[in-house]
Amino acid sequence: MAAYGYSFVTDKAFSAFARDLEQGAWKSVSIAKYDVPNRVPTALLLEAPKPVIWKVRALWSITALDDALGVASAAALAELDSEWDASQRALHLFLASEAESKEPAQRDAAVRLRGALLAGAGTEQTRYTYDAEVDYGWHQVAVAGKAPLAADVKKVGAGPHLKRIEEATEALAKGLGRSAGQKRAVARSKRIREAVAACTSAFNAIHDDIGWLIEHTPSGKHRELLEALHAPFLALLERSPQRAPAAAEPEEDTGEADAEETAPSEPAEMESTPG
């Protein structure tokens, strides 16, 4: 596939291109049936019109880049951690209250949940590192959703509290740049590099596809539509000129290089061996 210069587009320029995909000819291209969070729509992309596939691919690559760019802001992480801590304290207080219930079965369920889901006196987990909090939150959600604790969760009505913990944990994990199953976050710089490379690949593919169709479409409304869809991509490249590498200054010809080439090479020193 030809490279059109998208490798010179900056991360911010790729991110800003999302606006171009909601204007002009692209505005009428609806992707509502396909733009789902898990990126596996029930409506088959194989059967979607070409412009829909182009828009989906471009926007999904931009979304992944935006996620990478948003990672690791200290202020944002502090806010996410504050909500995570609050969700833990809320569960602690709720179970402490349920542990005082008049109903023995409900009281016993709350006690079991406190022992399985909370650390220390009930809020020790709020003093963990961000990564450890994510691990702990995922553990809480996992064990609470399986037997035997699932029945206790239902018995005391702790479902909403665990849902809050799950949402707070997922948000904190996303802020750290972690996905489910990752032990630790990938470095922000690496995430951005990989996301920019994915955008470059996607935009090259879209550009190549539209260009090929324009070349093989006769004059008329269909070709005009393709050209209108292509225009923002061309404009993006114009805003991101290719930067030629700095040329090395020519060295003065002293004749030494020719002499070195023709001079016999010195024999390599023999490795000494002990006598």
Side-chain angles (χ1 to χ4, degrees):
M1 181 188 299
Y4 298 99
Y6 290 102
S7 59
F8 295 96
V9 177
T10 65
D11 50 12
K12 301 297 191 299
F14 273 129
S15 181
F17 192 79
R19 295 194 297 270
D20 292 89
L21 294 172
E22 299 302 331
Q23 300 173 3
W26 284 106
K27 186 175 182 179
S28 62
V29 179
S30 174
I31 62 172
K33 289 169 54 179
Y34 305 93
D35 190 19
V36 295
N38 69 354
R39 302 293 188 257
V40 185
T42 54
L44 289 179
L45 280 168
L46 184 64
E47 299 174 354
K50 279 277 191 179
V52 168
I53 295 175
W54 296 331
K55 187 171 182 177
V56 164
R57 186 171 185 184
L59 281 177
W60 285 355
S61 67
I62 292 170
T63 298
L65 174 58
D66 287 344
D67 287 344
L69 290 170
V71 167
S73 162
L77 284 175
E79 289 186 14
L80 294 171
D81 176 60
S82 179
E83 166 57 18
W84 193 90
D85 290 350
S87 70
Q88 296 292 326
R89 289 192 296 269
L91 178 64
H92 162 63
L93 293 172
F94 173 77
L95 292 178
S97 176
E98 291 300 307
E100 302 298 330
S101 172
K102 290 183 178 181
E103 184 184 342
Q106 192 159 335
R107 186 168 61 241
D108 292 345
V111 170
R112 284 192 295 269
L113 289 172
R114 280 174 58 83
L117 300 180
L118 303 177
T123 59
E124 183 179 321
Q125 66 273 22
T126 62
R127 295 192 290 272
Y128 292 172
T129 64
Y130 291 161
D131 274 308
E133 287 182 347
V134 169
D135 292 337
Y136 197 87
W138 280 340
H139 168 73
Q140 287 173 305
V141 172
V143 298
K146 297 183 295 187
L149 293 182
D152 289 337
V153 169
K154 185 176 181 180
K155 179 67 178 177
V156 302
H161 290 283
L162 286 161
K163 181 64 175 176
R164 182 182 179 185
I165 286 175
E166 181 178 16
E167 292 173 350
T169 301
E170 292 297 333
L172 183 56
K174 184 177 180 181
L176 291 169
R178 291 180 60 177
S179 58
Q182 278 187 329
K183 293 299 182 184
R184 288 294 179 264
V186 176
R188 180 175 185 267
S189 58
K190 182 179 180 182
R191 279 170 52 84
I192 293 175
R193 284 197 306 271
E194 291 176 348
V196 168
C199 280
T200 300
S201 177
F203 277 58
N204 268 322
I206 295 166
H207 187 117
D208 192 62
D209 213 10
I210 297 176
W212 188 89
L213 285 173
I214 289 173
E215 183 180 350
H216 298 284
T217 300
S219 299
K221 64 178 183 179
H222 292 105
R223 180 165 180 158
E224 290 172 1
L225 173 60
L226 287 169
E227 290 172 342
L229 295 174
H230 205 201
F233 288 83
L234 297 173
L236 175 62
L237 292 178
E238 289 178 4
R239 297 192 299 269
S240 311
Q242 299 189 27
R243 299 174 293 281
E249 295 183 3
E251 297 181 2
E252 183 180 356
D253 185 2
T254 61
E256 292 181 1
D258 292 339
E260 290 177 359
E261 291 178 1
T262 56
S265 58
E266 296 181 3
E269 295 184 3
M270 296 294 292
E271 183 178 354
S272 60
T273 56

